[in-house]
Amino acid sequence: QVQLVESGGGSVQAGGSLRLSCAASAYTASRTCMGWFRQAPGKEREAVAIIRTGDGDTYYPSSVKGRFTISQDNAKNTMYLQMNSLKPEDTAMYYCAAGTPPFCPRVITIKAYNYWGQGTQVTVSS
């Protein structure tokens, strides 16, 4: 059964840190591209970190670059998102996803991510 399960969300003050985890079934983990996306109320879903699973190449948008780090533990079929220096504008539901989008990781094609977790809430207070 294909499955992605996120954990690690919560509430933190601005400037704090959180680490999200995404446990993947072996089949999902075989997808070429995995990533973290977020969606705030009234806003579109956006990518915050993408990793090409084969060689670990990564992409971050400017809004999180230098603050967020995506990583993977292939032995555990788990992906992580370390979030530092959190800001109130980082508040959103965070989702992990897996798929085979072309030109991973730098070209974001949300429709090409076939598998999604249920999401974990991150709330950053000022």
Side-chain angles (χ1 to χ4, degrees), residues 8-19 67-68 82-91 94 121-126:
S11 296
V12 66
Q13 289 191 328
S17 298
L18 284 173
R19 188 176 83 153
R67 301 188 297 122
F68 290 11
Q82 179 66 43
M83 304 185 294
N84 298 327
S85 302
L86 283 162
K87 304 175 181 180
E89 51 263 44
D90 294 319
T91 295
Y94 283 70
Q121 179 68 36
V122 171
T123 303
V124 185
S125 59
S126 58

Side-chain angles (χ1 to χ4, degrees), residues 8-126:
S11 296
V12 66
Q13 289 191 328
S17 298
L18 284 173
R19 188 176 83 153
L20 306 183
S21 299
C22 175
S25 64
Y27 177 76
T28 306
S30 70
R31 303 300 90 189
T32 59
C33 205
M34 295 187 72
W36 290 95
F37 296 76
R38 69 185 179 189
Q39 188 166 20
K43 294 189 177 181
E44 292 187 354
R45 189 168 297 191
E46 62 174 349
V48 295
I50 306 294
I51 188 165
R52 188 164 58 205
T53 57
D55 61 7
D57 195 14
T58 58
Y59 164 81
Y60 305 92
S62 58
S63 57
V64 307
K65 196 169 187 179
R67 301 188 297 122
F68 290 11
T69 303
I70 189 172
S71 61
Q72 57 184 356
D73 184 332
N74 293 330
K76 297 181 178 179
N77 288 333
T78 301
M79 179 176 66
Y80 304 97
L81 182 68
Q82 179 66 43
M83 304 185 294
N84 298 327
S85 302
L86 283 162
K87 304 175 181 180
E89 51 263 44
D90 294 319
T91 295
M93 186 71 78
Y94 283 70
Y95 301 88
C96 67
T100 54
F103 311 113
C104 170
R106 283 168 181 76
V107 177
I108 307 302
T109 307
I110 291 181
K111 292 181 180 179
Y113 288 83
N114 311 92
Y115 308 106
W116 292 83
Q118 81 286 354
T120 186
Q121 179 68 36
V122 171
T123 303
V124 185
S125 59
S126 58

